Amino acid sequence: MSLAQTSPARLPSIKSFANWGIFWLLVATVGAGFFFADGINALLRAWSLPEYSHGPLIPVLSLLLFLRQLKSVPENHAAVNDRWPGVAVVAFAFVVAALGKLAQIDDIIIYATIIWVGGVLLISFGWNVGKHFWPPVLHLVYMLPLPETLYYKMTNHLQLISSELGVWFLRLFNVPVFLQGNIIDLGVLRLHVADACSGLAYLFPILSFSYVFAVLYKGPTWHKAILLISAVPITIVMNSVRIAIAGVIANTWGLEWLEGFTHFFEGWVIFIACIVILFALAWIMLRFQKEKMGLVEALDLETDGLATQATRIRLIQPSKALITVAAMAIAVSVAWQFVPQRGGDIISRDSFATFPRTLGEWRQVGFHQPLERDVELALQADDYHQVTFRSPEAAAEVGLFMAWYQDQSRGGVHSPEICLPAAGWEIAWLERTDITEQMGTALPFNINRAIIERGSTRMMVYYWFQQGERRVAWDMAAKFWLMIDGISTGSTDGAIVRLTTLIGEDEPDAQAEARLQSILDDLIEPLPRFIPED
């Protein structure tokens, strides 16, 4: 008989919970907790950041979704013969976590915890029943931090869209405004995109809410899809409105009024407004249905019996599959203590402070140019060098920027594809190419060749990511090889090298590129002293 159909009864006593099934589940959980500890600690650190502060709520919501779904599953006191697929899933989770530990990338370990949860559910209920609990398990993804490269790519793109839309709104109100990259110039005030778009910190909790909303929604599947997809545009539009209102206030009443408005709207106002719009969207879609249904009817908000469902933990059986994963958890946790720790060795290299002031015919102009403090903090490099070189034979100077990271496993290189647009440069053309043949090197030499523009100013750019002797053009490929190197050798160091030169008003692009190629030819020889290739 389905538990949802039984009459309310007295909750089981504490003694009824003291069975061997619970014991083995506890052993499996504690053992896995030790093995996943690095990932769990990284998750807790991520939850302290504003954009992931919603994280602690996600497991709670997933548990409630699971208990609601469990109401439709009858109690089963008979033998379950299809538990072993869950053991395979748990084993896969441990393999993924082990790779993450070898690569020293905690995010991979965090992802493995969700796989482990899914495996335990398959063991507890068997494959035929447990596979239907994927919605609450999948929802746990929303508690995880995005990989940094993906996070910066996504948020930078969304911030620029939000700012452009906000500026469009301001111009509708005849507010004089100028947008250049990550700067919104209101005349009386200059806003950074990151400051102007702080409302985007609510994108992740709104995505989570839209997922829960779609799960509880009883309308058509295409309605659910729209509710899921709409979270991103709703957040962007609301943040653009926030930017526009801030601009109108600053332009009309002055900066002192803006400060109070900013504090007010940086709270839960944006979040609540987005939720209201989400509800309104669902209500509008229901209006066009043939079978009329109210919004309250369309949401399955039944919460009765959830506590009773939670007591079904007493029914967990001490199966061979459960005992196997408990033993597996203890075994991998103990065995890992004997795995030699890798990484952490300081790479022998020369500091950029001793970098040559002469490269062939190129001579350094002035001194090292330090970055702005906020840019330097965002870069998080262990050593960097930014200088300008000039040649008597060249029509323009060449800028050289290099950044070195001793350990990229918890951050690392930020791609110019992110930084340049944030600084107001538009990437007019970008090509990833292999210049191995023209450099005369034995190993592949992959670089990015780009032309960037800001107003009437144009620049030619060369840049690449370097990890040991490997030169990589694509930032996602660089992260992939970082993981591979971490697993195979424990090495997580790396660097980025960038060359830039102005393109004259009537100068052919090929001439500007010839300058970059000329200094690159002279740069290759001394570079390994500062960016080791071993």
Side-chain angles (χ1 to χ4, degrees):
M1 179 168 52
S2 171
L3 194 66
Q5 298 172 341
T6 58
S7 58
R10 185 177 60 184
L11 292 178
S13 66
I14 294 177
K15 288 184 178 181
S16 68
F17 286 94
N19 65 57
W20 284 104
I22 294 177
F23 170 78
W24 288 114
L25 176 62
L26 184 61
V27 170
T29 303
V30 172
F34 276 110
F35 195 67
F36 296 144
D38 292 339
I40 294 171
N41 290 333
L43 185 62
L44 295 176
R45 290 194 299 270
W47 286 353
S48 66
L49 301 175
E51 57 267 35
Y52 298 117
S53 59
H54 68 286
L57 292 176
I58 301 303
V60 176
L61 291 174
S62 287
L63 177 61
L64 293 176
L65 288 176
F66 167 68
L67 294 177
R68 289 183 70 264
Q69 196 171 352
L70 189 58
K71 290 168 64 176
S72 62
V73 178
E75 287 189 9
N76 181 22
H77 299 275
V80 177
N81 300 316
D82 55 350
R83 301 182 192 273
W84 291 102
V87 176
V89 172
V90 169
F92 177 66
F94 284 130
V95 170
V96 172
L99 293 176
K101 292 165 83 71
L102 287 172
Q104 303 173 62
I105 301 177
D106 294 335
D107 287 353
I108 296 177
I109 307 174
I110 304 173
Y111 305 146
T113 60
I114 296 181
I115 301 173
W116 181 87
V117 170
V120 169
L121 285 178
L122 292 175
I123 292 170
S124 300
F125 293 89
W127 172 261
N128 287 330
V129 175
K131 66 183 181 182
H132 297 294
F133 291 120
W134 64 265
V137 176
L138 182 61
H139 179 252
L140 291 173
V141 170
Y142 290 100
M143 74 178 179
L144 306 181
L146 288 174
E148 282 207 353
T149 299
L150 182 60
Y151 171 80
Y152 282 114
K153 280 181 177 289
M154 185 185 76
T155 55
N156 184 72
H157 186 62
L158 295 181
Q159 284 174 349
L160 291 175
I161 293 175
S162 189
S163 292
E164 289 174 357
L165 189 56
V167 166
W168 182 78
F169 282 136
L170 283 169
R171 287 170 179 158
L172 287 181
F173 290 95
N174 295 319
V175 175
V177 61
F178 177 68
L179 176 65
Q180 181 173 338
N182 64 350
I183 301 296
I184 301 173
D185 193 341
L186 295 165
V188 296
L189 176 68
R190 288 168 63 87
L191 290 174
H192 247 260
V193 166
D195 299 326
C197 298
S198 58
L200 287 179
Y202 291 98
L203 173 62
F204 299 103
I206 290 169
L207 283 170
S208 171
F209 184 90
S210 69
Y211 180 91
V212 175
F213 193 94
V215 170
L216 300 181
Y217 186 76
K218 295 187 291 187
T221 301
W222 69 272
H223 282 200
K224 293 174 179 281
I226 289 177
L227 291 171
L228 276 172
I229 296 170
S230 63
V232 174
I234 287 174
T235 307
I236 292 174
V237 170
M238 281 306 303
N239 198 56
S240 301
V241 170
R242 171 182 171 273
I243 293 172
I245 295 175
V248 171
I249 290 175
N251 186 68
T252 306
W253 291 288
L255 300 181
E256 61 277 7
W257 285 80
L258 179 61
E259 185 176 353
F261 166 82
T262 301
H263 285 307
F264 180 68
F265 268 77
E266 281 181 354
W268 286 85
V269 173
I270 293 288
F271 180 78
I272 293 173
C274 291
I275 297 305
V276 170
I277 294 174
L278 202 62
F279 273 95
L281 178 61
W283 181 83
I284 291 172
M285 289 191 296
L286 288 171
R287 294 301 89 195
F288 291 93
Q289 286 292 105
K290 291 182 179 180
E291 297 181 5
K292 300 301 180 183
M293 182 188 303
L295 186 56
V296 175
E297 299 174 83
L299 290 175
D300 185 0
L301 301 175
E302 179 61 53
T303 58
D304 291 342
L306 295 187
T308 304
Q309 298 303 319
T311 65
R312 288 175 60 172
I313 192 174
R314 74 189 189 281
L315 301 178
I316 294 178
Q317 300 174 21
S319 62
K320 292 179 181 179
L322 181 57
I323 295 172
T324 298
V325 298
M328 191 187 303
I330 295 173
V332 295
S333 297
V334 172
W336 194 261
Q337 304 306 312
F338 298 95
V339 175
Q341 296 298 308
R342 301 180 306 165
D345 298 332
I346 302 300
I347 306 297
S348 177
R349 57 176 292 272
D350 291 347
S351 169
F352 284 137
T354 64
F355 193 80
R357 295 178 59 87
T358 301
L359 297 172
E361 65 181 18
W362 295 87
R363 302 289 185 271
Q364 182 176 317
V365 179
F367 300 96
H368 165 73
Q369 303 152 17
L371 299 170
E372 295 181 9
R373 183 59 179 166
D374 57 339
V375 176
E376 186 174 338
L377 290 174
L379 184 67
Q380 295 182 334
D382 295 296
D383 191 12
Y384 76 91
H385 196 49
Q386 182 170 239
V387 290
T388 301
F389 283 89
R390 178 184 298 158
S391 168
E393 304 297 326
E397 298 173 341
V398 172
L400 169 64
F401 175 80
M402 300 176 289
W404 162 264
Y405 294 82
Q406 178 72 29
D407 177 14
Q408 300 180 87
S409 61
R410 291 172 176 80
V413 177
H414 294 171
S415 172
E417 291 180 56
I418 299 170
C419 303
L420 290 174
W425 293 95
E426 179 182 352
I427 300 178
W429 172 77
L430 173 66
E431 178 185 66
R432 309 189 202 281
T433 185
D434 186 350
I435 59 171
T436 303
E437 184 175 342
Q438 63 195 79
M439 295 303 299
T441 60
L443 296 169
F445 199 128
N446 297 294
I447 69 166
N448 294 281
R449 301 162 61 226
I451 293 178
I452 60 175
E453 300 175 345
R454 185 166 64 184
S456 59
T457 304
R458 301 173 73 239
M459 294 184 74
M460 174 76 72
V461 182
Y462 274 11
Y463 71 91
W464 71 89
F465 308 99
Q466 187 150 340
Q467 295 165 337
E469 59 185 11
R470 186 186 301 113
R471 299 176 179 92
V472 184
W474 188 30
D475 53 355
M476 298 301 289
K479 293 300 180 184
F480 170 77
W481 287 113
L482 169 66
M483 180 183 67
I484 297 300
D485 287 344
I487 293 171
S488 59
T489 66
S491 175
T492 57
D493 58 275
I496 182 173
V497 182
R498 187 185 72 200
L499 294 165
T500 56
T501 187
L502 284 170
I503 302 175
E505 185 175 347
D506 299 318
E507 182 182 26
D509 294 347
Q511 187 173 330
E513 185 168 6
R515 284 195 296 275
L516 297 185
Q517 188 63 51
S518 172
I519 194 171
L520 178 58
D521 291 338
D522 296 320
L523 174 65
I524 292 304
E525 182 180 352
L527 198 58
R529 289 169 41 203
F530 308 92
I531 304 177
E533 297 184 1
D534 298 332

